[in-house]
Amino acid sequence: MRLTCFGQELEFSSSLNTSTEKRFQNAYGIGLQYQQNVGSKYKIGFGIHYNFNNVKFDEIPYIDGDPNLIVADEIHAISKRFSIRLNIQRLLKNNDNASISLGPEVSYNYLWGQDQIDERQGQTSNRFNFIQNNGLTKEIGLGLISKIEIKKFISPQLSLCFTIRPEIITDGLFLKGGNQAFSGVSGFTEFQIGLKYRFRELKVE
């Protein structure tokens, strides 16, 4: 029996993610990943991804002793995240029509943005509006990548891919400059749909 594999692949994807960080809840993204087969059971992937979001949410950052002095913030946040990713995937299923893969992933992340804050103080009419620039934060992420690939989509060398990427990024060990809105551990789950193009064909007996 002869199984046809492909050695070099390039994938373009769009994404939607959930996050414990409100500024990135339901953020959209685009990405590009290169993959290389290692034998018949593994793939190594290297990619970049850009997420962006424009969202409003409320926060109650602190209580100043008296419940009537609760400070509440309405935040209009514009936030961005750029990720450099490296992963290795184990092929759990692989044939000429489809493949399923799973493996660990490590990422290096840049996060930055801007908050427009409307601050309200308790029962009073005191309101303050100001803009807060969220300086660049650099963080390491650890996660998993799981992918379903439907091969021969439109053409023999194109595949339709569905990917889930859950990860946790660190607590700001690489902070740099400005207000650090993104310091602290954050969880992300990214859902991707993409098109993959295979460049070179390998044949494994």
Side-chain angles (χ1 to χ4, degrees):
M1 177 180 178
R2 173 167 291 196
L3 176 65
T4 301
C5 303
F6 294 88
Q8 296 178 330
E9 305 167 334
L10 190 65
E11 180 182 348
F12 176 78
S13 63
S14 61
S15 68
L16 176 68
N17 70 242
T18 63
S19 177
T20 58
E21 168 54 64
K22 294 180 181 179
R23 291 170 178 84
F24 284 104
Q25 183 66 32
N26 299 320
Y28 294 100
I30 54 174
L32 189 67
Q33 175 165 289
Y34 170 81
Q35 289 182 169
Q36 173 71 55
N37 284 75
V38 180
S40 60
K41 293 292 185 181
Y42 293 91
K43 293 184 179 185
I44 291 178
F46 175 80
I48 55 175
H49 205 85
Y50 175 71
N51 291 102
F52 51 93
N53 204 19
N54 190 330
V55 66
K56 288 184 178 180
F57 59 93
D58 291 328
E59 277 196 349
I60 303 177
Y62 55 87
I63 299 176
D64 193 10
D66 186 341
N68 290 323
L69 296 178
I70 292 176
V71 175
D73 292 340
E74 181 183 75
I75 299 176
H76 179 194
I78 299 173
S79 303
K80 301 173 184 179
R81 175 189 179 210
F82 180 78
S83 302
I84 301 171
R85 300 169 173 178
L86 179 66
N87 58 70
I88 182 166
Q89 301 168 56
R90 173 84 157 70
L91 288 163
L92 306 178
K93 174 183 175 65
N94 187 33
N95 57 40
D96 285 340
N97 298 312
S99 71
I100 300 173
S101 59
L102 177 69
E105 182 170 65
V106 62
S107 65
Y108 191 79
N109 301 274
Y110 299 84
L111 303 97
W112 71 99
Q114 185 180 83
D115 293 347
Q116 182 175 328
I117 301 173
D118 181 12
E119 187 175 276
R120 309 181 301 279
Q121 294 190 354
Q123 304 296 324
T124 72
S125 59
N126 293 336
R127 300 176 73 94
F128 303 93
N129 293 279
F130 58 97
I131 291 176
Q132 169 183 287
N133 290 313
N134 298 322
L136 182 66
T137 302
K138 297 184 285 186
E139 300 188 345
I140 295 291
L142 298 173
L144 292 173
I145 176 172
S146 58
K147 185 186 295 285
I148 297 175
E149 177 182 345
I150 300 172
K151 301 179 181 179
K152 299 177 183 177
F153 179 74
I154 300 176
S155 75
Q157 288 179 282
L158 271 184
S159 293
L160 181 64
C161 300
F162 301 93
T163 307
I164 300 177
R165 279 182 152 108
E167 72 172 325
I168 294 175
I169 65 172
T170 60
D171 57 354
L173 296 177
F174 303 92
L175 297 179
K176 179 183 177 183
N179 180 278
Q180 301 304 335
F182 302 115
S183 61
V185 176
S186 298
F188 289 83
T189 301
E190 195 168 87
F191 302 92
Q192 295 182 345
I193 182 170
L195 283 177
K196 179 189 290 185
Y197 182 81
R198 297 175 293 276
F199 289 101
R200 188 177 61 181
E201 182 176 335
L202 300 176
K203 293 187 181 293
V204 179
E205 297 289 347

